[in-house]
Amino acid sequence: MRNLRPQVDNTRNGHLRSSCLLGFVLFAPWCCAQDTPEAAGQSAVIKSEVRIVLVDVVVTQGKGEPVAGLHQGDFQVNEDGRPQTVSFFEEHKNLPVSRVPLPPMPPNYFSNFPVPQTADSINVLLLDTLNTRAIDQVYAREQMIKYMETMEAGPRLAIFTLGSRLRMVKGVTSNSVQLLTAFTDKNTDTGPQYSNLLPSDTQKGADQAVVASMVRSKASPEAIAAVREFQSDHAAYLVDSRIKMTLQAFQQISRYLSSFKGRKNLMWVSGSFPVSIFPDSGVKRQYQGELQQTADMLTAGQVAVYPISAVGMAGWSYLDSDHLGKPVREDSDERASDQIAMETLAQETGGKAFYNTNGLDQALAESMKNGAMYYTLAYAPSDAQLDGKFRRIQVKMRGAGEYKLAYRRGYYAENAKSGETAEAKAAADPLVPLMNFGMPDFSEILYKVQVVLAKHQPSANEARAGSNPELKGPLERYSLDFAIAVQDLKLETGADGLRRGGMEVQVIAYDRNGKPLNLVRKKSDIVLPAKVYAELEGFGLQVHKEIDVPPGEVYLRTGVYDLNSSKAGTLGVALNRGSAE
């Protein structure tokens, strides 16, 4: 379990935090972010933490009508069969959006502080082309457009697509016109995409035909077995690649949503569902590390998953209304397996699964309605041991009443220091996927940055600022001065009183089509005396970077990554050549 705190703290959007960021001023860089190894032999002071578990509970009755007006005494919470004491309780009634008033930023200053603040819940629509056949994508896209054309005012919605990588189509907004315009824009790549990691029926048939032909020609058993093994290995590779890419997308969405208050309803529209998050899901154990990290991020972000099948019922003559919402016993094992995975994933995260219906637009509407009204309960586990094991949560209603409860069924009781998986540590650079063109701004680490033309511009033969050796002139050099919220960095206090940690700062320049032009990145050790740390709380950790870019329309992605906590902050800046002087 990672960073599970009561809702008022879990939002990370309190007045104290916002005032610290807005109070940042850019002074001369402090000599506190060092590009030298940390001194050896320093022991850290051990601190204890009180862990709080948040549980969002959707209570419905009858045909799915939400139940309002319940009280803390109506709920009973058990963890691994042991009763727990609820210390925090709040009813959420889908209140309107509230916004934190921010003063205007000075010219050429930019911040990743999240402006829109939601009162209760927001929704995320993920169109998954990675795990969906092109023919089913056409149907799903039509249904999504149909929903947005008739979408009622009020719901807060963001749209993402998952293909070869995750891409944000539109950030959180309640403006249905903006959502529809962004989704139907040809430049956002929401149209049908062919997934080379998802075998078509034709490809599957061809593989079977090859083996059948070998059998008819009386090929040796060894040759037939070798072909079958190759086909099996190739199929396993495709599934493995899709699972890893899907889990990475879930983690990236969780990072984006971590800045928003309250419950998040992730509507995953897909033709197949290759992953489930928690134990006993049937997923192979080699994904355990990534699964646990994904589960931690979804749990900490209060994200409930609503799997929605992109496969309609057209042509299924044996289906009638009695089958709606129920597994298809007569269908293929693959489809039945997908439906079981959908039900499991929804139950694990507190969402609801939708399949066997041609009314995908209705499923979207019901998902938003289902996740808009809920109750938040919090408790400190009676078993405070952080052993990394999975803890099962059970919520019951006291007294009479035919209620249905949807809530997260558990969490991993992991030590925050062990949160980063071996896979993540072995990755080339975990910040890189968050810096892709078209990705949203992340606010786990808040900062602001001043972007201006550098006083010194590069000559034709001068060394370039950046790591692209093929960058040709003429070039313009931009200066970037960061002020990073030091409170958001995980710094360990040693016996000598010094706070130590590490971070990475990146700047990537893209052209208007998303082609990378240049890159600047640096990992640094952080060593801060207590007095310096106290001063930096007021105006931020100072970092200076420079990057060369060609003339024309250029888009910068900036990013900060905490090497201890694996948290990140990113911010996109479109260079305005008329004002960045």
Side-chain angles (χ1 to χ4, degrees), residues 36-40 42 500-501 525-527:
T36 55
E38 178 182 341
Q42 302 293 345
R500 290 181 170 83
D525 289 338
I526 301 173
V527 181

Short mmCIF file of all heavy atoms in Angstrom, two decimals, residues 36-40 42 500-501 525-527:
data_model
loop_
_atom_site.label_atom_id
_atom_site.label_comp_id
_atom_site.label_asym_id
_atom_site.label_seq_id
_atom_site.Cartn_x
_atom_site.Cartn_y
_atom_site.Cartn_z
N THR A 36 27.11 14.86 -8.04
CA THR A 36 28.19 14.06 -7.51
C THR A 36 27.62 12.97 -6.63
O THR A 36 26.53 13.11 -6.08
CB THR A 36 29.16 14.91 -6.66
OG1 THR A 36 28.42 15.58 -5.65
CG2 THR A 36 29.86 15.96 -7.54
N PRO A 37 28.33 11.84 -6.45
CA PRO A 37 27.79 10.75 -5.62
C PRO A 37 27.55 11.20 -4.19
O PRO A 37 28.24 12.05 -3.65
CB PRO A 37 28.89 9.68 -5.71
CG PRO A 37 29.65 10.01 -6.95
CD PRO A 37 29.61 11.51 -7.07
N GLU A 38 26.58 10.60 -3.57
CA GLU A 38 26.26 10.88 -2.17
C GLU A 38 27.37 10.37 -1.27
O GLU A 38 27.98 9.32 -1.53
CB GLU A 38 24.94 10.19 -1.81
CG GLU A 38 24.53 10.37 -0.37
CD GLU A 38 23.25 9.62 -0.09
OE1 GLU A 38 22.53 9.29 -1.03
OE2 GLU A 38 22.97 9.36 1.09
N ALA A 39 27.65 11.12 -0.21
CA ALA A 39 28.67 10.70 0.73
C ALA A 39 28.28 9.40 1.39
O ALA A 39 27.13 9.17 1.74
CB ALA A 39 28.88 11.78 1.79
N ALA A 40 29.27 8.52 1.57
CA ALA A 40 28.99 7.20 2.13
C ALA A 40 29.01 7.26 3.66
O ALA A 40 29.54 8.18 4.27
CB ALA A 40 30.03 6.19 1.63
N GLN A 42 26.54 7.47 5.86
CA GLN A 42 25.54 8.24 6.59
C GLN A 42 24.33 7.37 6.87
O GLN A 42 23.76 6.78 5.97
CB GLN A 42 25.13 9.47 5.78
CG GLN A 42 26.28 10.40 5.41
CD GLN A 42 26.88 11.07 6.62
OE1 GLN A 42 26.29 11.07 7.69
NE2 GLN A 42 28.06 11.65 6.48
N ARG A 500 18.75 14.07 2.26
CA ARG A 500 19.34 13.55 1.03
C ARG A 500 18.29 12.89 0.16
O ARG A 500 17.36 12.26 0.66
CB ARG A 500 20.46 12.55 1.35
CG ARG A 500 21.70 13.16 1.96
CD ARG A 500 22.76 12.10 2.22
NE ARG A 500 24.03 12.68 2.58
CZ ARG A 500 24.38 13.07 3.80
NH1 ARG A 500 23.52 12.90 4.80
NH2 ARG A 500 25.57 13.59 4.03
N GLY A 501 18.50 13.02 -1.12
CA GLY A 501 17.62 12.37 -2.09
C GLY A 501 18.23 12.47 -3.47
O GLY A 501 19.43 12.75 -3.62
N ASP A 525 22.14 14.27 -7.31
CA ASP A 525 21.95 14.04 -5.89
C ASP A 525 21.51 15.34 -5.23
O ASP A 525 21.89 16.44 -5.66
CB ASP A 525 23.23 13.54 -5.24
CG ASP A 525 23.58 12.12 -5.66
OD1 ASP A 525 22.66 11.40 -6.08
OD2 ASP A 525 24.76 11.76 -5.56
N ILE A 526 20.72 15.23 -4.18
CA ILE A 526 20.27 16.40 -3.43
C ILE A 526 20.77 16.25 -1.99
O ILE A 526 20.54 15.23 -1.36
CB ILE A 526 18.73 16.50 -3.42
CG1 ILE A 526 18.19 16.60 -4.86
CG2 ILE A 526 18.27 17.70 -2.61
CD1 ILE A 526 16.69 16.54 -4.94
N VAL A 527 21.48 17.27 -1.50
CA VAL A 527 21.98 17.29 -0.13
C VAL A 527 21.64 18.65 0.44
O VAL A 527 22.15 19.69 -0.01
CB VAL A 527 23.49 17.05 -0.06
CG1 VAL A 527 23.96 17.05 1.39
CG2 VAL A 527 23.87 15.74 -0.76
#
